[in-house]
Amino acid sequence: QVSLWLKKMYGDVPVPEYEVNERTVDILLEVMECNEERDRDISLVIENMKDQATKYEAETEYWQGILEESLGLCTPFLSKEATADLTDLAECAMALELENTSLGSFYSAINYMTSELYEITSKNQELELKLNTLTKKLTSALTLEKQLEEDIKKLKESQEAEKARVEIRSKDLKFLEDKSEDLKIRVRNAVDQLVAAGLDQSLTHEALTKSSEELAALLKEIEPLKEELACYHGLPPSIPLARVKVEEARQEL
């Protein structure tokens, strides 16, 4: 079967030599079946096209008969201008999807398409207006986005600078805390050394501070007494003379 198909395919040309085994025969058999199936499909397509051509020819003859009987037109003998006009008329009718080429059908189709064109134009204007509005909003949004990006950039730079300052302050504070702790240790050690050397406790900072506070309280208590005593400073130091001075003041009063 494969050999006959190869002879048919090559015709008068000798069939090329090939190794005959089960695998090559199976492959050639599969190719043969595909080729025959394709030939059958092509034959069906050709038959269908012949049928369509026959139908078109019959329809052409039908319309030519109508043109000749109804309008007295014989298409093979029409002038170029008439043929062109008739072609334009047919194309317009097909474009407008008319059932016939009457003037009323053309007017109705043209009016319908004009109305449809008006609606489409109105929709296009609305869409254009919406597009312009959206474009403005988009432009505003992009401007705002750009401004926000710049503000965020400035804020990040400010935060980085503030972070650097905070780190420096933190380092300074840590240094001062360490220094204060070191000074406290030194003061404590110095106090311990002074105490060990026999320092009087009344001369320590705490004792002197306490004494100063007690002295300030006593001075505050003495202040009214000083004011009361001031009125007696003008008296003579002798008691008899002081009595005479008091008597004179009483008589004057």
Side-chain angles (χ1 to χ4, degrees):
Q1 188 178 359
V2 171
S3 299
L4 292 175
W5 174 71
L6 288 174
K7 289 179 181 180
K8 180 182 178 182
M9 291 295 297
Y10 281 97
D12 297 334
V13 180
V15 177
E17 296 182 358
Y18 63 94
E19 184 180 353
V20 179
N21 53 43
E22 185 177 358
R23 182 173 180 277
T24 56
V25 171
D26 289 339
I27 293 173
L28 288 172
L29 183 61
E30 185 177 356
V31 173
M32 181 191 70
E33 292 175 351
C34 292
N35 186 268
E36 290 178 349
E37 184 177 358
R38 186 193 62 181
D39 290 342
R40 286 193 296 270
D41 293 339
I42 292 174
S43 298
L44 292 174
V45 172
I46 291 173
E47 291 296 329
N48 185 37
M49 293 181 70
K50 287 180 179 179
D51 293 339
Q52 293 291 335
T54 303
K55 291 179 181 179
Y56 290 151
E57 289 176 358
E59 190 174 355
T60 301
E61 292 177 357
Y62 170 75
W63 287 109
Q64 283 180 351
I66 291 176
L67 290 173
E68 291 175 0
E69 292 177 2
S70 301
L71 303 177
L73 297 175
C74 185
T75 53
F77 302 102
L78 289 176
S79 64
K80 291 183 179 180
E81 291 80 3
T83 303
D85 292 339
L86 188 60
T87 302
D88 293 339
L89 183 64
E91 290 178 353
C92 289
M94 293 177 63
L96 295 174
E97 298 179 356
L98 300 179
E99 295 180 357
N100 54 62
T101 57
S102 65
L103 191 60
S105 298
F106 274 104
Y107 280 151
S108 297
I110 290 172
N111 289 334
Y112 175 76
M113 293 190 70
T114 303
S115 176
E116 189 176 7
L117 178 62
Y118 176 75
E119 291 179 0
I120 293 174
T121 304
S122 299
K123 289 182 180 179
N124 287 338
Q125 290 177 352
E126 292 178 1
L127 291 174
E128 186 176 359
L129 182 61
K130 290 181 180 179
L131 180 61
N132 292 333
T133 304
L134 290 174
T135 303
K136 291 180 181 179
K137 290 182 178 179
L138 180 61
T139 304
S140 178
L142 291 174
T143 304
L144 180 60
E145 181 182 6
K146 185 177 180 181
Q147 184 64 36
L148 288 175
E149 288 178 354
E150 293 178 355
D151 294 341
I152 291 172
K153 183 179 179 181
K154 292 179 181 179
L155 181 60
K156 286 183 178 179
E157 293 175 353
S158 177
Q159 287 179 346
E160 290 177 357
E162 184 65 23
K163 184 179 179 181
R165 287 195 295 269
V166 169
E167 289 179 356
I168 294 173
R169 291 176 182 175
S170 178
K171 290 180 181 179
D172 293 341
L173 180 61
K174 185 66 171 57
F175 172 76
L176 292 176
E177 289 177 351
D178 295 340
K179 191 67 176 178
S180 176
E181 190 64 26
D182 181 63
L183 291 174
K184 287 180 180 179
I185 294 172
R186 290 185 180 182
V187 169
R188 193 180 303 115
N189 293 335
V191 170
D192 293 340
Q193 291 177 1
L194 291 174
V195 171
L199 176 66
D200 188 359
Q201 292 293 331
S202 62
L203 298 178
T204 61
H205 177 71
E206 289 80 0
L208 292 174
T209 302
K210 185 177 180 181
S211 299
S212 176
E213 293 175 353
E214 292 176 353
L215 178 61
L218 291 175
L219 290 175
K220 191 174 181 180
E221 291 178 359
I222 293 173
E223 193 67 28
L225 298 175
K226 285 184 177 181
E227 292 178 358
E228 187 178 352
L229 184 62
C231 62
Y232 296 102
H233 286 171
L235 296 176
S238 173
I239 292 177
L241 292 176
R243 288 177 179 172
V244 172
K245 195 72 173 176
V246 169
E247 186 62 28
E248 289 177 354
R250 185 180 294 116
Q251 289 179 2
E252 184 179 356
L253 179 60

